Amino acid sequence: MTIKHGSSLDGMETTPSDETGSPPVSPGSARTNRLATIKRWIRRCLARWRSIVATALVVTAVGVPAGLFFILHRPDQQVGDAAAHRAIQAASDGAVAVLSYAPDNLDRDFAKAKSYLTGDFLAYYTKFTEQIAAMAQQKHVTETAKVVRAAVSELHPDSALVLVFINQTATSKEKPEPQTTATSARVTLTKVKGSWLISNLDPLS
């Protein structure tokens, strides 16, 4: 029986030779390879962290001005709703006061209406009431207005534009039966010392 090199017989083994011909790896070479691998891994980590840091800086650079813009120039929804509500309330109350009067309380009604007005419109309304006061008393004209709907069209820090829809009822000595008409108006508001005042009232229908 022929025994091949590297086989065993009766518990005896032969030592195989290196058939590949590759030289053995020395401990120094293995350590050098590990160091090179670690350096490459560190370089990849640093590159990844530089990308993350750069992205964070960009986000911060954009986010801070954006945050300041919203804080300083864009009030939150609650504040915006509150400002719009105050403008609508001022326009509605002022329009009702301007369009409502009774012959027995003309001075009081006119004075109340003037408290909602400002500027040229206040001067115009004052002259208007002086002209209609005698007629309103003589003919017992009563005007009553009621705002049925109102909405903000424009809202700025010191000015606003509100659309109001009004039911206006009139009675007189000649026509004692109430006559109701539906009208609408564009109310321009100006903020004066923190309060909304009507600076113009334009009938639309």
Short mmCIF file of all heavy atoms in Angstrom, two decimals, residues 49-111:
data_model
loop_
_atom_site.label_atom_id
_atom_site.label_comp_id
_atom_site.label_asym_id
_atom_site.label_seq_id
_atom_site.Cartn_x
_atom_site.Cartn_y
_atom_site.Cartn_z
N TRP A 49 -18.59 63.14 10.74
CA TRP A 49 -18.92 64.13 11.75
C TRP A 49 -18.80 65.55 11.20
O TRP A 49 -19.57 66.43 11.56
CB TRP A 49 -17.99 63.97 12.97
CG TRP A 49 -18.50 62.92 13.91
CD1 TRP A 49 -18.00 61.68 14.12
CD2 TRP A 49 -19.63 63.04 14.77
NE1 TRP A 49 -18.74 61.00 15.04
CE2 TRP A 49 -19.75 61.81 15.46
CE3 TRP A 49 -20.56 64.05 15.01
CZ2 TRP A 49 -20.76 61.58 16.38
CZ3 TRP A 49 -21.57 63.83 15.93
CH2 TRP A 49 -21.66 62.60 16.60
N ARG A 50 -17.81 65.77 10.29
CA ARG A 50 -17.71 67.10 9.68
C ARG A 50 -18.97 67.42 8.89
O ARG A 50 -19.48 68.54 8.91
CB ARG A 50 -16.48 67.18 8.77
CG ARG A 50 -15.18 67.42 9.52
CD ARG A 50 -14.10 67.88 8.57
NE ARG A 50 -13.76 66.82 7.62
CZ ARG A 50 -12.79 65.94 7.80
NH1 ARG A 50 -12.07 65.99 8.93
NH2 ARG A 50 -12.53 65.01 6.89
N SER A 51 -19.51 66.42 8.20
CA SER A 51 -20.75 66.62 7.44
C SER A 51 -21.92 66.92 8.36
O SER A 51 -22.72 67.82 8.10
CB SER A 51 -21.05 65.37 6.61
OG SER A 51 -22.28 65.51 5.93
N ILE A 52 -21.99 66.19 9.48
CA ILE A 52 -23.08 66.41 10.44
C ILE A 52 -22.99 67.80 11.05
O ILE A 52 -23.97 68.54 11.17
CB ILE A 52 -23.07 65.32 11.53
CG1 ILE A 52 -23.40 63.96 10.91
CG2 ILE A 52 -24.04 65.66 12.65
CD1 ILE A 52 -23.23 62.80 11.87
N VAL A 53 -21.75 68.19 11.45
CA VAL A 53 -21.56 69.51 12.07
C VAL A 53 -21.88 70.62 11.08
O VAL A 53 -22.52 71.61 11.41
CB VAL A 53 -20.11 69.63 12.59
CG1 VAL A 53 -19.84 71.07 13.03
CG2 VAL A 53 -19.88 68.67 13.75
N ALA A 54 -21.43 70.44 9.82
CA ALA A 54 -21.71 71.46 8.81
C ALA A 54 -23.21 71.61 8.60
O ALA A 54 -23.74 72.72 8.50
CB ALA A 54 -21.02 71.10 7.49
N THR A 55 -23.92 70.47 8.55
CA THR A 55 -25.38 70.52 8.38
C THR A 55 -26.04 71.22 9.57
O THR A 55 -26.95 72.03 9.41
CB THR A 55 -25.94 69.10 8.24
OG1 THR A 55 -25.32 68.48 7.12
CG2 THR A 55 -27.44 69.13 8.03
N ALA A 56 -25.56 70.90 10.77
CA ALA A 56 -26.12 71.52 11.97
C ALA A 56 -25.91 73.03 11.96
O ALA A 56 -26.79 73.80 12.34
CB ALA A 56 -25.49 70.91 13.22
N LEU A 57 -24.71 73.46 11.50
CA LEU A 57 -24.44 74.90 11.45
C LEU A 57 -25.34 75.60 10.45
O LEU A 57 -25.82 76.70 10.69
CB LEU A 57 -22.97 75.13 11.08
CG LEU A 57 -21.94 74.75 12.16
CD1 LEU A 57 -20.53 74.92 11.62
CD2 LEU A 57 -22.13 75.59 13.42
N VAL A 58 -25.57 74.94 9.30
CA VAL A 58 -26.47 75.53 8.30
C VAL A 58 -27.88 75.65 8.85
O VAL A 58 -28.54 76.68 8.72
CB VAL A 58 -26.46 74.68 7.01
CG1 VAL A 58 -27.55 75.17 6.06
CG2 VAL A 58 -25.10 74.78 6.34
N VAL A 59 -28.36 74.57 9.49
CA VAL A 59 -29.71 74.59 10.07
C VAL A 59 -29.82 75.67 11.12
O VAL A 59 -30.80 76.42 11.19
CB VAL A 59 -30.06 73.21 10.66
CG1 VAL A 59 -31.36 73.29 11.44
CG2 VAL A 59 -30.17 72.18 9.55
N THR A 60 -28.77 75.80 11.95
CA THR A 60 -28.79 76.83 12.99
C THR A 60 -28.79 78.22 12.38
O THR A 60 -29.52 79.11 12.80
CB THR A 60 -27.57 76.67 13.91
OG1 THR A 60 -27.60 75.36 14.48
CG2 THR A 60 -27.59 77.71 15.02
N ALA A 61 -27.94 78.41 11.35
CA ALA A 61 -27.85 79.73 10.70
C ALA A 61 -29.18 80.13 10.09
O ALA A 61 -29.56 81.30 10.11
CB ALA A 61 -26.75 79.72 9.64
N VAL A 62 -29.90 79.16 9.53
CA VAL A 62 -31.20 79.45 8.93
C VAL A 62 -32.28 79.54 9.99
O VAL A 62 -33.17 80.37 9.95
CB VAL A 62 -31.56 78.38 7.88
CG1 VAL A 62 -32.97 78.61 7.36
CG2 VAL A 62 -30.56 78.42 6.73
N GLY A 63 -32.19 78.66 10.98
CA GLY A 63 -33.25 78.55 11.98
C GLY A 63 -33.33 79.74 12.91
O GLY A 63 -34.43 80.19 13.27
N VAL A 64 -32.19 80.30 13.30
CA VAL A 64 -32.20 81.41 14.25
C VAL A 64 -32.89 82.64 13.65
O VAL A 64 -33.79 83.21 14.26
CB VAL A 64 -30.77 81.73 14.72
CG1 VAL A 64 -30.75 83.05 15.49
CG2 VAL A 64 -30.25 80.60 15.59
N PRO A 65 -32.49 83.10 12.43
CA PRO A 65 -33.22 84.24 11.85
C PRO A 65 -34.68 83.94 11.62
O PRO A 65 -35.54 84.80 11.84
CB PRO A 65 -32.49 84.48 10.52
CG PRO A 65 -31.13 83.90 10.71
CD PRO A 65 -31.34 82.70 11.60
N ALA A 66 -34.99 82.70 11.19
CA ALA A 66 -36.40 82.35 10.97
C ALA A 66 -37.17 82.42 12.28
O ALA A 66 -38.29 82.91 12.35
CB ALA A 66 -36.51 80.97 10.36
N GLY A 67 -36.54 81.91 13.35
CA GLY A 67 -37.21 81.95 14.65
C GLY A 67 -37.43 83.37 15.12
O GLY A 67 -38.50 83.72 15.63
N LEU A 68 -36.41 84.22 14.94
CA LEU A 68 -36.56 85.62 15.33
C LEU A 68 -37.64 86.30 14.51
O LEU A 68 -38.39 87.13 15.02
CB LEU A 68 -35.23 86.36 15.15
CG LEU A 68 -34.12 85.96 16.13
CD1 LEU A 68 -32.83 86.67 15.76
CD2 LEU A 68 -34.51 86.28 17.56
N PHE A 69 -37.74 85.95 13.21
CA PHE A 69 -38.78 86.54 12.37
C PHE A 69 -40.16 86.22 12.91
O PHE A 69 -41.01 87.10 13.04
CB PHE A 69 -38.65 86.02 10.94
CG PHE A 69 -39.77 86.44 10.04
CD1 PHE A 69 -39.82 87.71 9.50
CD2 PHE A 69 -40.81 85.57 9.76
CE1 PHE A 69 -40.85 88.10 8.67
CE2 PHE A 69 -41.86 85.95 8.93
CZ PHE A 69 -41.87 87.22 8.39
N PHE A 70 -40.39 84.93 13.24
CA PHE A 70 -41.71 84.55 13.73
C PHE A 70 -41.99 85.15 15.10
O PHE A 70 -43.12 85.51 15.40
CB PHE A 70 -41.83 83.02 13.79
CG PHE A 70 -42.14 82.41 12.46
CD1 PHE A 70 -41.15 81.86 11.67
CD2 PHE A 70 -43.45 82.39 11.97
CE1 PHE A 70 -41.44 81.31 10.44
CE2 PHE A 70 -43.74 81.84 10.74
CZ PHE A 70 -42.74 81.30 9.97
N ILE A 71 -40.94 85.28 15.93
CA ILE A 71 -41.15 85.85 17.26
C ILE A 71 -41.44 87.34 17.18
O ILE A 71 -42.33 87.87 17.83
CB ILE A 71 -39.92 85.59 18.15
CG1 ILE A 71 -39.81 84.08 18.45
CG2 ILE A 71 -40.01 86.38 19.44
CD1 ILE A 71 -38.53 83.71 19.17
N LEU A 72 -40.66 88.06 16.33
CA LEU A 72 -40.78 89.51 16.29
C LEU A 72 -41.84 90.02 15.34
O LEU A 72 -42.46 91.05 15.58
CB LEU A 72 -39.42 90.11 15.88
CG LEU A 72 -38.26 89.83 16.86
CD1 LEU A 72 -36.97 90.42 16.29
CD2 LEU A 72 -38.54 90.41 18.23
N HIS A 73 -42.06 89.28 14.22
CA HIS A 73 -42.93 89.83 13.17
C HIS A 73 -44.19 89.00 12.93
O HIS A 73 -45.09 89.47 12.25
CB HIS A 73 -42.15 89.94 11.86
CG HIS A 73 -40.94 90.81 11.96
ND1 HIS A 73 -41.01 92.17 12.03
CD2 HIS A 73 -39.62 90.50 12.02
CE1 HIS A 73 -39.80 92.68 12.12
NE2 HIS A 73 -38.94 91.69 12.11
N ARG A 74 -44.24 87.78 13.41
CA ARG A 74 -45.40 86.95 13.15
C ARG A 74 -46.00 86.49 14.48
O ARG A 74 -45.59 85.48 15.03
CB ARG A 74 -44.99 85.72 12.32
CG ARG A 74 -44.59 86.06 10.91
CD ARG A 74 -45.76 86.51 10.07
NE ARG A 74 -46.79 85.51 10.00
CZ ARG A 74 -46.78 84.51 9.13
NH1 ARG A 74 -45.80 84.39 8.27
NH2 ARG A 74 -47.75 83.63 9.12
N PRO A 75 -46.91 87.23 15.07
CA PRO A 75 -47.51 86.81 16.33
C PRO A 75 -48.22 85.49 16.15
O PRO A 75 -48.64 85.13 15.07
CB PRO A 75 -48.51 87.94 16.65
CG PRO A 75 -48.80 88.56 15.33
CD PRO A 75 -47.53 88.44 14.52
N ASP A 76 -48.33 84.74 17.25
CA ASP A 76 -48.96 83.43 17.13
C ASP A 76 -50.45 83.58 16.83
O ASP A 76 -50.99 84.68 16.84
CB ASP A 76 -48.75 82.61 18.41
CG ASP A 76 -49.33 83.29 19.65
OD1 ASP A 76 -50.27 84.11 19.51
OD2 ASP A 76 -48.86 83.01 20.73
N GLN A 77 -51.09 82.47 16.54
CA GLN A 77 -52.46 82.51 16.06
C GLN A 77 -53.39 83.14 17.08
O GLN A 77 -54.33 83.85 16.74
CB GLN A 77 -52.92 81.09 15.72
CG GLN A 77 -54.24 81.02 14.97
CD GLN A 77 -54.16 81.68 13.62
OE1 GLN A 77 -53.12 81.65 12.97
NE2 GLN A 77 -55.23 82.29 13.18
N GLN A 78 -53.13 82.85 18.36
CA GLN A 78 -54.01 83.38 19.40
C GLN A 78 -53.97 84.91 19.41
O GLN A 78 -55.00 85.57 19.49
CB GLN A 78 -53.59 82.83 20.76
CG GLN A 78 -54.51 83.27 21.90
CD GLN A 78 -54.10 82.64 23.22
OE1 GLN A 78 -53.16 81.87 23.26
NE2 GLN A 78 -54.81 82.96 24.27
N VAL A 79 -52.75 85.50 19.33
CA VAL A 79 -52.62 86.95 19.32
C VAL A 79 -53.26 87.53 18.07
O VAL A 79 -53.93 88.55 18.10
CB VAL A 79 -51.13 87.33 19.42
CG1 VAL A 79 -50.96 88.84 19.26
CG2 VAL A 79 -50.57 86.88 20.75
N GLY A 80 -53.05 86.89 16.90
CA GLY A 80 -53.66 87.36 15.67
C GLY A 80 -55.17 87.35 15.73
O GLY A 80 -55.83 88.30 15.30
N ASP A 81 -55.74 86.29 16.28
CA ASP A 81 -57.19 86.21 16.41
C ASP A 81 -57.72 87.29 17.36
O ASP A 81 -58.77 87.87 17.12
CB ASP A 81 -57.58 84.82 16.94
CG ASP A 81 -57.40 83.73 15.88
OD1 ASP A 81 -57.23 84.09 14.71
OD2 ASP A 81 -57.41 82.55 16.24
N ALA A 82 -56.98 87.54 18.42
CA ALA A 82 -57.41 88.57 19.38
C ALA A 82 -57.41 89.95 18.73
O ALA A 82 -58.34 90.74 18.92
CB ALA A 82 -56.50 88.55 20.61
N ALA A 83 -56.36 90.26 17.95
CA ALA A 83 -56.29 91.55 17.28
C ALA A 83 -57.42 91.69 16.26
O ALA A 83 -58.04 92.75 16.14
CB ALA A 83 -54.93 91.72 16.60
N ALA A 84 -57.68 90.64 15.50
CA ALA A 84 -58.77 90.67 14.51
C ALA A 84 -60.12 90.85 15.21
O ALA A 84 -60.97 91.60 14.73
CB ALA A 84 -58.76 89.39 13.69
N HIS A 85 -60.30 90.18 16.34
CA HIS A 85 -61.56 90.31 17.07
C HIS A 85 -61.77 91.74 17.55
O HIS A 85 -62.89 92.28 17.46
CB HIS A 85 -61.57 89.35 18.27
CG HIS A 85 -62.78 89.47 19.14
ND1 HIS A 85 -64.02 88.98 18.76
CD2 HIS A 85 -62.96 90.06 20.35
CE1 HIS A 85 -64.89 89.24 19.71
NE2 HIS A 85 -64.29 89.89 20.67
N ARG A 86 -60.70 92.38 18.04
CA ARG A 86 -60.83 93.76 18.51
C ARG A 86 -61.16 94.71 17.36
O ARG A 86 -61.97 95.64 17.52
CB ARG A 86 -59.53 94.20 19.21
CG ARG A 86 -59.33 93.56 20.57
CD ARG A 86 -58.23 94.26 21.34
NE ARG A 86 -56.93 94.05 20.71
CZ ARG A 86 -56.10 93.05 20.99
NH1 ARG A 86 -56.46 92.14 21.90
NH2 ARG A 86 -54.94 92.93 20.39
N ALA A 87 -60.56 94.46 16.20
CA ALA A 87 -60.85 95.30 15.04
C ALA A 87 -62.30 95.14 14.60
O ALA A 87 -62.99 96.12 14.29
CB ALA A 87 -59.89 94.96 13.89
N ILE A 88 -62.76 93.89 14.55
CA ILE A 88 -64.16 93.63 14.16
C ILE A 88 -65.12 94.27 15.15
O ILE A 88 -66.13 94.87 14.76
CB ILE A 88 -64.41 92.11 14.06
CG1 ILE A 88 -63.67 91.54 12.84
CG2 ILE A 88 -65.90 91.81 13.97
CD1 ILE A 88 -63.72 90.03 12.76
N GLN A 89 -64.81 94.16 16.44
CA GLN A 89 -65.68 94.74 17.47
C GLN A 89 -65.76 96.25 17.34
O GLN A 89 -66.84 96.85 17.43
CB GLN A 89 -65.15 94.35 18.85
CG GLN A 89 -66.14 94.63 19.99
CD GLN A 89 -67.36 93.74 19.91
OE1 GLN A 89 -67.27 92.53 19.70
NE2 GLN A 89 -68.54 94.34 20.04
N ALA A 90 -64.59 96.89 17.11
CA ALA A 90 -64.57 98.34 16.99
C ALA A 90 -65.34 98.79 15.74
O ALA A 90 -66.10 99.77 15.79
CB ALA A 90 -63.13 98.83 16.92
N ALA A 91 -65.15 98.09 14.62
CA ALA A 91 -65.85 98.45 13.38
C ALA A 91 -67.35 98.26 13.54
O ALA A 91 -68.15 99.10 13.09
CB ALA A 91 -65.32 97.61 12.22
N SER A 92 -67.75 97.16 14.16
CA SER A 92 -69.18 96.87 14.33
C SER A 92 -69.85 97.88 15.26
O SER A 92 -70.90 98.45 14.94
CB SER A 92 -69.36 95.44 14.86
OG SER A 92 -68.82 94.49 13.97
N ASP A 93 -69.23 98.10 16.42
CA ASP A 93 -69.81 99.04 17.38
C ASP A 93 -69.85 100.46 16.81
O ASP A 93 -70.84 101.19 17.00
CB ASP A 93 -68.99 99.03 18.68
CG ASP A 93 -69.11 97.71 19.43
OD1 ASP A 93 -70.02 96.91 19.10
OD2 ASP A 93 -68.29 97.47 20.33
N GLY A 94 -68.78 100.84 16.11
CA GLY A 94 -68.74 102.18 15.54
C GLY A 94 -69.76 102.38 14.44
O GLY A 94 -70.43 103.42 14.37
N ALA A 95 -69.91 101.37 13.56
CA ALA A 95 -70.89 101.48 12.48
C ALA A 95 -72.30 101.57 13.04
O ALA A 95 -73.13 102.36 12.55
CB ALA A 95 -70.77 100.28 11.55
N VAL A 96 -72.60 100.78 14.05
CA VAL A 96 -73.92 100.83 14.68
C VAL A 96 -74.17 102.20 15.29
O VAL A 96 -75.26 102.78 15.14
CB VAL A 96 -74.04 99.73 15.75
CG1 VAL A 96 -75.29 99.95 16.62
CG2 VAL A 96 -74.12 98.35 15.09
N ALA A 97 -73.15 102.74 15.96
CA ALA A 97 -73.31 104.05 16.59
C ALA A 97 -73.53 105.15 15.55
O ALA A 97 -74.37 106.05 15.74
CB ALA A 97 -72.09 104.38 17.45
N VAL A 98 -72.80 105.10 14.44
CA VAL A 98 -72.92 106.12 13.40
C VAL A 98 -74.30 106.08 12.74
O VAL A 98 -74.89 107.13 12.41
CB VAL A 98 -71.81 105.95 12.35
CG1 VAL A 98 -72.09 106.80 11.11
CG2 VAL A 98 -70.46 106.32 12.95
N LEU A 99 -74.83 104.88 12.55
CA LEU A 99 -76.08 104.72 11.80
C LEU A 99 -77.32 104.64 12.69
O LEU A 99 -78.41 104.42 12.19
CB LEU A 99 -75.99 103.44 10.94
CG LEU A 99 -74.87 103.44 9.89
CD1 LEU A 99 -74.79 102.09 9.19
CD2 LEU A 99 -75.07 104.56 8.88
N SER A 100 -77.16 104.84 13.98
CA SER A 100 -78.31 104.74 14.89
C SER A 100 -78.49 106.06 15.65
O SER A 100 -77.53 106.64 16.17
CB SER A 100 -78.09 103.61 15.91
OG SER A 100 -77.94 102.37 15.26
N TYR A 101 -79.73 106.53 15.70
CA TYR A 101 -80.05 107.71 16.51
C TYR A 101 -81.57 107.79 16.67
O TYR A 101 -82.34 107.22 15.89
CB TYR A 101 -79.52 109.01 15.87
CG TYR A 101 -79.97 109.24 14.45
CD1 TYR A 101 -81.17 109.90 14.17
CD2 TYR A 101 -79.18 108.82 13.38
CE1 TYR A 101 -81.58 110.12 12.86
CE2 TYR A 101 -79.58 109.05 12.08
CZ TYR A 101 -80.78 109.69 11.82
OH TYR A 101 -81.18 109.90 10.53
N ALA A 102 -81.96 108.47 17.73
CA ALA A 102 -83.39 108.66 18.02
C ALA A 102 -83.61 110.14 18.33
O ALA A 102 -82.74 110.80 18.90
CB ALA A 102 -83.82 107.79 19.20
N PRO A 103 -84.78 110.67 17.98
CA PRO A 103 -85.02 112.12 18.13
C PRO A 103 -84.94 112.60 19.57
O PRO A 103 -84.60 113.77 19.81
CB PRO A 103 -86.42 112.32 17.55
CG PRO A 103 -87.06 110.98 17.58
CD PRO A 103 -85.97 110.00 17.40
N ASP A 104 -85.25 111.74 20.51
CA ASP A 104 -85.24 112.17 21.92
C ASP A 104 -83.84 112.13 22.53
O ASP A 104 -83.65 112.66 23.64
CB ASP A 104 -86.17 111.29 22.75
CG ASP A 104 -87.63 111.43 22.32
OD1 ASP A 104 -87.98 112.50 21.77
OD2 ASP A 104 -88.41 110.47 22.50
N ASN A 105 -82.90 111.52 21.85
CA ASN A 105 -81.55 111.36 22.43
C ASN A 105 -80.46 111.72 21.42
O ASN A 105 -79.39 111.10 21.39
CB ASN A 105 -81.33 109.92 22.90
CG ASN A 105 -82.36 109.49 23.92
OD1 ASN A 105 -82.47 110.07 25.00
ND2 ASN A 105 -83.13 108.46 23.58
N LEU A 106 -80.73 112.72 20.59
CA LEU A 106 -79.79 113.03 19.52
C LEU A 106 -78.40 113.40 20.04
O LEU A 106 -77.39 112.90 19.54
CB LEU A 106 -80.34 114.17 18.66
CG LEU A 106 -81.51 113.81 17.72
CD1 LEU A 106 -81.93 115.04 16.93
CD2 LEU A 106 -81.11 112.68 16.78
N ASP A 107 -78.33 114.27 21.01
CA ASP A 107 -77.03 114.72 21.51
C ASP A 107 -76.22 113.54 22.06
O ASP A 107 -75.02 113.41 21.80
CB ASP A 107 -77.21 115.78 22.59
CG ASP A 107 -77.76 117.10 22.03
OD1 ASP A 107 -77.64 117.30 20.79
OD2 ASP A 107 -78.31 117.90 22.81
N ARG A 108 -76.90 112.71 22.84
CA ARG A 108 -76.20 111.54 23.42
C ARG A 108 -75.78 110.56 22.34
O ARG A 108 -74.66 110.04 22.35
CB ARG A 108 -77.12 110.85 24.43
CG ARG A 108 -76.44 109.70 25.19
CD ARG A 108 -77.44 108.98 26.06
NE ARG A 108 -78.47 108.32 25.22
CZ ARG A 108 -79.53 107.68 25.74
NH1 ARG A 108 -79.73 107.66 27.04
NH2 ARG A 108 -80.40 107.09 24.93
N ASP A 109 -76.67 110.32 21.36
CA ASP A 109 -76.36 109.37 20.29
C ASP A 109 -75.21 109.88 19.42
O ASP A 109 -74.31 109.10 19.06
CB ASP A 109 -77.60 109.13 19.43
CG ASP A 109 -78.70 108.39 20.18
OD1 ASP A 109 -78.39 107.76 21.22
OD2 ASP A 109 -79.87 108.45 19.73
N PHE A 110 -75.23 111.16 19.10
CA PHE A 110 -74.18 111.72 18.27
C PHE A 110 -72.83 111.73 19.02
O PHE A 110 -71.78 111.46 18.44
CB PHE A 110 -74.54 113.14 17.82
CG PHE A 110 -75.69 113.19 16.86
CD1 PHE A 110 -76.40 114.38 16.66
CD2 PHE A 110 -76.07 112.07 16.13
CE1 PHE A 110 -77.46 114.43 15.75
CE2 PHE A 110 -77.13 112.12 15.22
CZ PHE A 110 -77.83 113.29 15.04
N ALA A 111 -72.86 112.04 20.28
CA ALA A 111 -71.63 112.05 21.08
C ALA A 111 -71.03 110.64 21.17
O ALA A 111 -69.81 110.46 21.10
CB ALA A 111 -71.91 112.61 22.47
#
